[in-house]
């Protein structure tokens, strides 16, 4: 009886050790940055006198899901090419793919940067 139990134990141990893999075939991907596309529309045309603009945006994440978007408007006279350090922008969280923003009109020609 002891020999029978020892044989079963060795077989089970051999199966357990032989079935382990160092890497699984479906390893998770490294975290990749999502991409976002943005466009602005108006009822008829973009109007310099209107401070409300309708934004549309679309995002996709190659390794996950896009649950929402952070939207900010910078009203500095210089065009931002990167987020300022320290980040002093005020963000809004939206779950839909569009939103209406209000842009403060302080001068005849002002520059604004919209960040999504």
């Amino acid at each position: 009886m002891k020999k029978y139990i020892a044989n079963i134990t060795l077989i089970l141990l051999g199966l357990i050790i032989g079935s382990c893999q160092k890497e699984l075939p479906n390893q998770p991907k490294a975290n990749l940055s999502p991409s976002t596309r943005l466009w602005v529309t108006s009822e008829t045309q973009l109007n310099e006198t209107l401070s409300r603009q309708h934004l549309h945006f679309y995002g996709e994440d190659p390794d996950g899901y896009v649950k929402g978007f952070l939207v900010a408007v910078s009203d500095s006279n210089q065009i931002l090419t990167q987020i300022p350090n320290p980040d002093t922008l005020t963000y809004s969280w939206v779950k839909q793919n569009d939103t209406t923003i209000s842009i403060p009109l302080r001068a005849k020609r002002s520059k604004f940067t919209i960040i999504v």
Side-chain angles (χ1 to χ4, degrees), residues 3 6 16 22 39 43 51 66 106 110 113 116:
K3 188 175 183 181
I16 291 172
K22 290 184 179 180
W39 62 98
E43 296 285 327
S51 64
V66 176
R106 296 190 180 104
S110 297
T113 302
V116 178

Side-chain angles (χ1 to χ4, degrees), residues 3-114:
K3 188 175 183 181
Y4 180 68
I5 293 173
N7 286 340
I8 291 177
T9 304
L10 285 174
I11 291 172
L12 287 175
L13 186 61
L15 287 174
I16 291 172
I17 291 173
S19 65
C20 293
Q21 298 177 355
K22 290 184 179 180
E23 291 185 26
L24 297 175
N26 56 353
Q27 288 287 332
K29 295 179 183 177
N31 190 17
L32 302 172
S33 298
S35 63
T36 306
R37 282 124 181 107
L38 166 73
W39 62 98
V40 180
T41 62
S42 181
E43 296 285 327
T44 55
Q45 65 182 11
L46 294 179
N47 193 336
E48 293 180 6
T49 61
L50 293 177
S51 64
R52 294 171 55 104
Q53 299 296 331
H54 194 176
L55 299 179
H56 298 271
F57 32 86
Y58 172 76
E60 55 187 20
D61 191 356
D63 61 343
Y65 298 102
V66 176
K67 293 184 178 181
F69 300 89
L70 290 172
V71 180
V73 177
S74 170
D75 61 351
S76 65
N77 275 336
Q78 62 184 16
I79 301 297
L80 296 178
T81 57
Q82 63 185 14
I83 295 175
N85 187 10
D87 190 357
T88 57
L89 300 173
T90 303
Y91 294 91
S92 299
W93 173 260
V94 293
K95 289 186 176 183
Q96 65 273 16
N97 287 2
D98 67 332
T99 189
T100 301
I101 61 167
S102 295
I103 299 174
L105 299 175
R106 296 190 180 104
K108 186 174 181 180
R109 298 265 181 193
S110 297
K111 296 178 182 177
F112 296 93
T113 302
I114 300 170

